[in-house]
Amino acid sequence: IERIDPAKDVDGFHPVNVGRLSLGLPALEPCTPRGCVILAQSVRQDLTGLHAVIVGRSNIVGKPMAQMLLAENCTVTIAHSRTRDLAAMCRQADILVAAVGRPEMIKGDWIKPGAIVLDVGINRIPREDGSGKSRLVGDVAYAEAAEVASAITPVPGGVGPMTIAGLLRNTVIAAAR
């Protein structure tokens, strides 16, 4: 990735862009986390003071998501599949970002009433009809969580289109520079 010109790194993964993001400097940002911030702000424009819990610590989503939410004045907790009492941690979240890579791991009773839930997961699981075909699900048990959350992204069709929008955003920024 170091061979890519950081000014043309529309994915936002080059170490220069990662470093600039962590320092709060202008950078081409990773597309999925930027899309998640935009989605959260579409529900609540000012995220100041909200507690965001990110379940997942990847360099592609978890860590940059934390940086971007800190820049929006959120209090941020990064959790993962080995966090002790993960359910209790999730119940504290005003904004819950699920990026752990486990199908429907986060259950409805893990969601704080009124929370904004951003499901970044995309997992294939077998259909229950015995057809041998698969279906896509997120990291959140959608039907259960939707009963509790104030807003929740579906899988598919939620965060994915925002990732594409983020990629196009970065492309325009890079071209303009």
Side-chain angles (χ1 to χ4, degrees):
I1 197 162
E2 288 84 7
R3 291 183 179 178
I4 297 170
D5 179 350
K8 295 179 181 179
D9 170 36
V10 294
D11 288 315
F13 298 154
H14 191 283
V16 169
N17 285 317
V18 171
R20 291 182 67 81
L21 177 65
S22 71
L23 293 171
L25 298 173
L28 291 171
E29 301 169 324
C31 304
T32 300
R34 174 49 54 204
C36 287
V37 170
I38 292 167
L39 284 168
Q41 289 173 325
S42 75
V43 176
R44 185 166 174 171
Q45 190 172 8
D46 185 7
L47 305 179
T48 298
L50 297 183
H51 183 193
V53 175
I54 302 162
V55 184
R57 54 187 166 180
S58 73
N59 292 328
I60 294 172
V61 177
K63 292 174 186 174
M65 184 87 250
Q67 294 293 333
M68 291 180 196
L69 289 170
L70 284 169
E72 296 297 327
N73 300 310
C74 291
T75 298
V76 177
T77 301
I78 299 178
H80 46 80
S81 61
R82 295 186 177 184
T83 296
R84 279 192 221 158
D85 201 357
L86 181 57
M89 182 70 61
C90 290
R91 281 186 206 101
Q92 297 175 27
D94 300 308
I95 301 171
L96 180 62
V97 181
V100 71
R102 295 199 181 171
E104 300 178 327
M105 177 181 173
I106 297 172
K107 306 300 181 192
D109 63 353
W110 294 23
I111 309 295
K112 178 180 180 179
I116 299 168
V117 179
L118 302 165
D119 192 348
V120 180
I122 186 152
N123 309 282
R124 289 198 177 276
I125 63 170
R127 289 188 183 272
E128 290 90 20
D129 62 9
S131 66
K133 295 182 179 180
S134 63
R135 65 186 178 102
L136 292 176
V137 298
D139 292 348
V140 177
Y142 182 86
E144 299 172 20
E147 292 180 18
V148 183
S150 67
I152 184 169
T153 57
V155 174
V159 171
M162 293 303 294
T163 299
I164 296 165
L167 184 61
L168 292 172
R169 177 182 182 270
N170 280 350
T171 301
V172 170
I173 291 169
R177 287 182 183 159

